[in-house]
Amino acid sequence: MPATLAEIPTLFHKFRVAKRVLDRVSIWDGDITNLTVDAIVNAANSRLAGGGGVDGAIHRAAGRNELQAECRKYNGCAVGDAVITSGCNVNHIKKIIHTVGPQVYGSVTDEKRENLIACYRTSLDIAIENGMKSVAFCCISTGVYGYPNDDAAKTVTKFLTEFLENDDQIERIVLVTFLQVDNELYNEYFAKYAATK
Ligand code: ADP
């Protein structure tokens, strides 16, 4: 059975501060295709062709032909941008948002960091435009695209906390951590955020 939001505690239950933000964020260990939320965000490639990692898992769960047919209509996607498809009957999710993260070789430049933030911002903008209230993100770019986990967790935590401080539409963001290192890093950076409250 896929996990539901009701079963996943928010960070407010852990930190007991900043309810407006932390009661809308969860960190969840698992496979993003095993979760029921309004929308999941895929770390796609610029051809939207389906690939390995989380992209492959989502395409497999969706049924490759169906999802590829929907993706083909977009004729690709730029780095930092995102497109939206149906949920393809994956766990009653309503939509799949496909974003293309930056590829990092060596150290992170400001441009790559802005690209990563753009992935999260554009995905949330598209989610809101489409009436999505709960959105699950995989750790975009931190797999084969080589973005360092620590910088990504720090950057994403900063962006999402600022976003949620100003947004009234999104009810829950689930940060899906497939690797323990990402779970630890998100917990560390959200604890630092909580400590400022
Ligand atoms: P990218 O090409 O953007 O780096 P990857 O798929 O290689 O994308 O990795 C992105 C993140 O997704 C990594 O943290 C990886 O461990 C994670 N991941 C891989 N499979 C899954 C899955 N089924 N559900 C959630 N996260 C996953």
Side-chain angles (χ1 to χ4, degrees), residues 79 101-120 139-156 179 181-182 185-186:
V79 174
Q103 296 186 42
V104 174
Y105 313 96
S107 53
V108 183
T109 59
D110 288 348
E111 184 193 3
K112 302 283 180 178
R113 197 172 288 113
E114 284 307 316
N115 288 157
L116 186 69
I117 293 168
C119 288
Y120 284 83
C139 298
I140 297 160
S141 278
T142 61
V144 295
Y145 276 13
Y147 199 110
N149 303 65
D150 189 292
D151 190 301
K154 184 178 182 182
T155 301
V156 171
L179 302 179
V181 61
D182 293 317
L185 285 165
Y186 273 135

Side-chain angles (χ1 to χ4, degrees), residues 77-138:
C77 180
V79 174
D81 207 351
V83 301
I84 190 164
T85 63
S86 78
C88 290
N89 297 318
V90 179
N91 303 331
H92 306 289
I93 62 173
K94 294 175 183 158
K95 299 285 184 188
I96 303 172
I97 295 169
H98 308 261
T99 189
V100 181
Q103 296 186 42
V104 174
Y105 313 96
S107 53
V108 183
T109 59
D110 288 348
E111 184 193 3
K112 302 283 180 178
R113 197 172 288 113
E114 284 307 316
N115 288 157
L116 186 69
I117 293 168
C119 288
Y120 284 83
R121 183 189 296 114
T122 313
S123 297
L124 286 166
D125 287 348
I126 290 179
I128 290 168
E129 276 167 29
N130 285 273
M132 303 292 105
K133 297 288 183 193
S134 54
V135 182
F137 284 95
C138 66

